Amino acid sequence: MTDPIEDDAAARHAEKMAKKKAARDRIMATKTEERGLIIVHTGKGKGKSSAAFGMIFRCIAHGMPCAVVQFIKGARAAGERDLIQRHFADLCEFHSMGEGFTWETQDRDRDIAAATAAWDKAKTLIRDPRHRMVLLDEINIALRYGYLDLEAVLTFLREEKPPATHVVLTGRNAHERLIEMADLATEMELLKHPFRSGVKAQPGVEF
């Protein structure tokens, strides 16, 4: 024997969900445009590059050619780089062109030269319409420290990015003009981090 109260609650839930689905379907029916996006991941919280690599792996899963340029990282081995180069090099170009953070190199001219070379490589990759997505990992840091000219980067993205290509830019302190240009911008907020408790970076979590 069924419970009338439970039956009534189930019916009200079904009606509520049906209305929500109908409203959602009406919204989705208006979303018809498809184009390449400028995507920015910034903020003090962990996960900026991790989220970007998630999208790279989605592209790989769909058989879409893509590319990665790392502006700061590169000196240390990283799981995502090893996996892509070992198994998906035919779909994803990977260029680690950084030498570490500024407190590691302690040489501004050298950092500028490395960032310039990385940006030159990035422009070549972005210009190639075969690439569905290009990830510029930690480019926001290079821009913040003046290793790259912000105006030149904005102009290139505005005028030379192919219409169907997604470009993802990660790193803390994204410039407000870059965020303004972006189609999608996400700020990762730091709530807790194990580093503050004396826990070092670990494989599988940090790299």
Side-chain angles (χ1 to χ4, degrees):
M1 185 173 179
T2 61
D3 186 331
I5 296 177
E6 289 185 1
D7 288 347
D8 183 59
R12 283 187 283 108
H13 176 76
E15 182 181 4
K16 180 181 178 180
M17 292 301 105
K19 289 180 179 178
K20 182 174 289 190
K21 181 180 185 306
R24 185 67 179 173
D25 288 346
R26 286 194 296 270
I27 293 172
M28 294 302 292
T30 67
K31 313 301 180 185
T32 58
E33 183 180 3
E34 183 174 332
R35 60 182 172 83
L37 305 176
I38 295 174
I39 301 169
V40 174
H41 292 175
T42 193
K44 295 181 179 180
K46 174 178 162 41
K48 297 176 286 294
S49 295
S50 300
F53 275 107
M55 289 191 289
I56 287 290
F57 281 112
R58 283 175 177 166
C59 286
I60 291 172
H62 287 293
M64 297 174 175
C66 51
V68 177
V69 179
Q70 291 190 305
F71 280 75
I72 303 296
K73 300 168 186 172
R76 171 186 284 182
E80 59 268 21
R81 181 178 68 200
D82 293 344
L83 180 64
I84 288 172
Q85 291 181 329
R86 188 177 301 126
H87 298 289
F88 306 112
D90 59 326
L91 276 174
C92 183
E93 290 191 45
F94 204 115
H95 302 273
S96 293
M97 304 186 70
E99 299 184 78
F101 291 95
T102 53
W103 56 83
E104 294 171 338
T105 62
Q106 300 177 20
D107 187 332
R108 179 174 174 80
D109 289 341
R110 182 171 156 185
D111 291 334
I112 291 173
T116 300
W119 176 235
D120 287 342
K121 173 59 69 174
K123 288 187 289 186
T124 298
L125 295 169
I126 293 169
R127 285 186 180 115
D128 187 341
R130 292 176 301 173
H131 291 125
R132 192 70 176 92
M133 176 178 287
V134 180
L135 167 56
L136 310 181
D137 193 32
E138 304 286 11
I139 189 175
N140 293 339
I141 295 175
L143 288 167
R144 180 192 180 195
Y145 284 109
Y147 300 160
L148 297 173
D149 180 65
L150 174 66
E151 195 62 48
V153 172
L154 295 175
T155 299
F156 177 86
L157 292 175
R158 182 170 53 250
E159 297 182 0
E160 296 197 47
K161 182 185 78 66
T165 302
H166 305 300
V167 178
V168 187
L169 306 95
T170 73
R172 292 187 179 203
N173 302 112
H175 197 281
E176 59 183 15
R177 291 182 61 200
L178 180 59
I179 294 174
E180 182 180 354
M181 170 182 278
D183 300 286
L184 171 60
T186 301
E187 183 173 7
M188 310 295 187
E189 182 180 357
L190 176 62
L191 299 179
K192 295 180 71 175
H193 199 293
F195 185 77
R196 292 180 173 178
S197 301
V199 181
K200 67 179 183 179
Q202 301 177 82
V205 178
E206 299 287 349
F207 59 91

